[in-house]
Amino acid sequence: MAPINDADRDDARTLWDFNTLNQRARPVSAAVALGGCDIGVVTAVATLYRARLFPTVVFTGAVTEATLGRFPRGEAVHFREEALALGVPDEAILLEPRATNTGQNITFARAVLEEAGKHVDSVLLVCMPYMQRRAYATCRRQWPEAEVVCVSETVSFDEYAKYQEDEAGFVAMMVGDTQRVMEYPRRGFAIEQEVPERVHDAFERLSKRGYDAWLLRD
């Protein structure tokens, strides 16, 4: 893959703007923090918990290919430890350490809440910024009975990209997320969403430029 350039970044901003929903957090029955490579998810959870927007949070995520080097004991385990360090009390935390994809994040977290006797009719998804649209669409399909709001840390594309150890790898992951927004409704994994032509075009250009490491191959 050629070095990342300004044209690539412009296309990446287009995908970022599409995938970040800018929904407003509000009080809900419970929060579900989706595993991933960004510990900033936990920072957002701690802030939202201190704002008293939910009484319980489920941290969900196993060891995955994308996060093995960073979270070798599993995403949920590391996220829980960070949450405790940030002042979220242990009694407010439930752990789901088996999920390896977003559909499992939702369905397994839902089962953990039910097993804990929590009645949930509204849920706050907390995830990486560029994962918002996919997470929201997945939850709407997998948990249709619950009202869903999806949020992340408040951060711009440029701020987020600046602190990535591998900017090209981050863009490749966002390309993969965008493909899943388009493809997963056909597979029954998520609800259908309108994808503007400019997003399709940016996705195609970045894919052809080599940001294809996280694309579906089947």
Side-chain angles (χ1 to χ4, degrees), residues 14-31:
T14 296
L15 299 192
W16 174 276
D17 291 343
F18 172 70
N19 284 296
T20 52
L21 297 176
N22 298 312
Q23 294 183 332
R24 190 169 186 173
R26 60 174 180 78
V28 293
S29 304

Side-chain angles (χ1 to χ4, degrees), residues 133-167:
R133 185 173 292 275
R134 180 163 68 91
Y136 175 81
T138 303
C139 193
R140 286 283 308 280
R141 174 67 71 187
Q142 305 296 337
W143 200 347
E145 303 87 351
E147 295 182 16
V148 184
V149 178
C150 188
V151 299
S152 305
E153 278 191 297
T154 302
V155 60
S156 70
F157 169 82
D158 291 322
E159 290 169 332
Y160 199 85
K162 179 180 178 180
Y163 292 104
Q164 300 304 306
E165 294 178 7
D166 178 5
E167 184 182 3

Side-chain angles (χ1 to χ4, degrees), residues 1-4 8 166-172 206-213:
M1 183 175 67
I4 191 167
D8 295 341
D166 178 5
E167 184 182 3
F170 149 58
V171 172
L206 288 169
S207 298
K208 291 175 182 176
R209 279 275 294 171
Y211 299 93
D212 58 357

Side-chain angles (χ1 to χ4, degrees), residues 24-200:
R24 190 169 186 173
R26 60 174 180 78
V28 293
S29 304
V32 175
L34 306 184
C37 55
D38 182 2
I39 200 69
V41 171
V42 188
T43 304
V45 166
T47 299
L48 295 164
Y49 179 80
R50 285 193 293 270
R52 300 184 178 181
L53 295 188
F54 53 84
T56 305
V57 57
V58 182
F59 288 106
T60 169
V63 177
T64 67
E65 179 184 355
T67 60
L68 174 60
R70 186 169 299 183
F71 305 128
R73 290 177 290 115
E75 297 157 1
V77 171
H78 286 269
F79 280 24
R80 172 184 174 273
E81 291 171 352
E82 179 70 8
L84 291 172
L86 292 175
V88 180
D90 195 30
E91 60 268 24
I93 297 173
L94 296 172
L95 201 64
E96 189 298 293
R98 298 183 297 120
T100 58
N101 60 60
T102 306
Q104 290 179 353
N105 286 143
I106 303 300
T107 56
F108 291 177
R110 179 180 182 179
V112 165
L113 286 161
E114 290 174 351
E115 290 166 7
K118 307 293 184 182
H119 173 72
V120 177
D121 57 17
S122 56
V123 62
L124 185 66
L125 298 181
V126 189
C127 63
M128 298 179 292
Y130 61 88
M131 188 184 177
Q132 287 180 17
R133 185 173 292 275
R134 180 163 68 91
Y136 175 81
T138 303
C139 193
R140 286 283 308 280
R141 174 67 71 187
Q142 305 296 337
W143 200 347
E145 303 87 351
E147 295 182 16
V148 184
V149 178
C150 188
V151 299
S152 305
E153 278 191 297
T154 302
V155 60
S156 70
F157 169 82
D158 291 322
E159 290 169 332
Y160 199 85
K162 179 180 178 180
Y163 292 104
Q164 300 304 306
E165 294 178 7
D166 178 5
E167 184 182 3
F170 149 58
V171 172
M173 293 191 79
M174 190 161 53
V175 169
D177 265 57
T178 305
Q179 183 196 36
R180 285 158 176 78
V181 168
M182 297 186 288
E183 174 63 26
Y184 276 1
R186 292 192 286 271
R187 304 189 183 195
F189 300 157
I191 63 166
E192 188 80 39
Q193 299 176 91
E194 182 180 356
V195 182
E197 185 176 354
R198 69 181 184 281
V199 175
H200 277 286

